[in-house]
Amino acid sequence: QVNLLQSGAALVKPGASVKLSCKASGYTFTDYYIHWVKQSHGKSLEWIGYINPNSGYTNYNEKFKSKATLTVDKSTNTAYMELSRLTSEDSATYYCTRQLYLRRFDYWGQGVMVTVSS
Amino acid sequence: EIVLTQSPTTMAASPGEKVTLTCRASSSVSYMHWYQQRSGTSPKLWIYETSKLASGVPNRFSGSGSGTSYSLTINSMETEDAATYYCQQGSSYPLTFGSGTKLEIK
């Protein structure tokens, strides 16, 4: 069965960076793009970008281009998102999700809450 | 960027009531996907390519629309349908989601 297992909640200081992980299982990791989505508390969903695990090609929402860096480790079937220069605006739940045809998302990680606080 | 506007923002429906949620796009899109999200959980794909039900979705749900106007309809509201529903367009980057409709049971 397909599963996307995300790393645990993170409490980080303003100005620091954090690297979130998303470990895929139950399917061929390199066959599907992985996307990342932000959900601020009680708010809607924002698309951050995606990575092609096979080629490493990335495509970012312009809004997150200087904030997020997407990578993968094919040997461990894990996708990563590093968020840099964190501020309180980055406090949110972040999801990884798998893309299907016509850019719909069929499986989602459980989400990881990032809290930026001194 | 294509902006998706959902209405209403919040609504309450009685069991058995017919419910229609709307999603309007700032530019024409070829299809719409819908997600259900219950409090504290990840979104779930609910309806894709405008009108196709995702696996396990009850057939009291349906989707329709074209161009800039799309809708999700529940034929007969049930308690378990209380959740927030988001539309999402995949026609162009950046991918965008609507602001959501929170559906409550009366």
Side-chain angles (χ1 to χ4, degrees):
Chain A
Q1 65 286 14
V2 174
N3 193 36
L4 298 174
L5 182 62
Q6 296 187 240
S7 46
L11 171 62
V12 290
K13 295 191 186 313
S17 298
V18 67
K19 193 169 186 177
L20 312 179
S21 67
C22 171
K23 184 171 175 59
S25 60
Y27 72 97
T28 302
F29 181 57
T30 50
D31 282 353
Y32 299 85
Y33 296 176
I34 292 288
H35 293 242
W36 291 82
V37 174
K38 177 184 180 181
Q39 186 169 38
S40 301
H41 182 66
K43 297 196 174 176
S44 185
L45 304 159
E46 282 186 282
W47 177 73
I48 295 171
Y50 78 82
I51 185 165
N52 176 339
N54 191 41
S55 66
Y57 175 82
T58 54
N59 185 5
Y60 294 94
N61 185 335
E62 196 67 34
K63 179 179 177 181
F64 293 95
K65 259 187 178 171
S66 58
K67 174 62 62 179
T69 302
L70 307 184
T71 56
V72 295
D73 180 346
K74 288 192 281 188
S75 69
T76 60
N77 291 348
T78 303
Y80 297 94
M81 177 172 69
E82 183 167 19
L83 300 170
S84 61
R85 296 180 301 278
L86 291 165
T87 72
S88 58
E89 294 296 307
D90 299 314
S91 293
T93 296
Y94 292 87
Y95 295 99
C96 61
T97 181
R98 187 180 82 159
Q99 178 196 315
L100 281 188
Y101 181 60
L102 292 184
R103 301 177 192 135
R104 68 182 186 265
F105 305 125
D106 65 338
Y107 285 94
W108 294 66
Q110 81 276 22
V112 56
M113 185 178 295
V114 173
T115 303
V116 182
S117 174
S118 54
Chain B
E1 172 175 324
I2 296 176
V3 176
L4 302 180
T5 303
Q6 290 188 242
S7 60
T9 302
T10 306
M11 71 171 294
S14 301
E17 187 177 343
K18 184 174 182 177
V19 172
T20 299
L21 313 181
T22 297
C23 177
R24 288 201 161 77
S26 59
S27 301
S28 182
V29 296
S30 302
Y31 50 85
M32 193 66 71
H33 308 312
W34 293 84
Y35 299 84
Q36 181 197 69
Q37 186 178 36
R38 294 199 174 100
S39 182
T41 68
S42 306
K44 288 183 183 176
L45 180 64
W46 213 245
I47 294 174
Y48 63 99
E49 294 172 44
T50 302
S51 60
K52 298 175 182 177
L53 301 186
S55 176
V57 174
N59 61 12
R60 61 181 177 273
F61 284 85
S62 62
S64 63
S66 64
T68 60
S69 184
Y70 292 82
S71 62
L72 178 157
T73 298
I74 307 173
N75 199 42
S76 177
M77 176 78 180
E78 295 199 7
T79 306
E80 65 183 25
D81 301 336
T84 300
Y85 293 86
Y86 296 97
C87 54
Q88 177 242 324
Q89 64 83 19
S91 291
S92 68
Y93 288 109
L95 306 183
T96 50
F97 293 86
S99 52
T101 292
K102 185 174 183 179
L103 177 60
E104 299 171 330
I105 193 80
K106 232 185 249 181

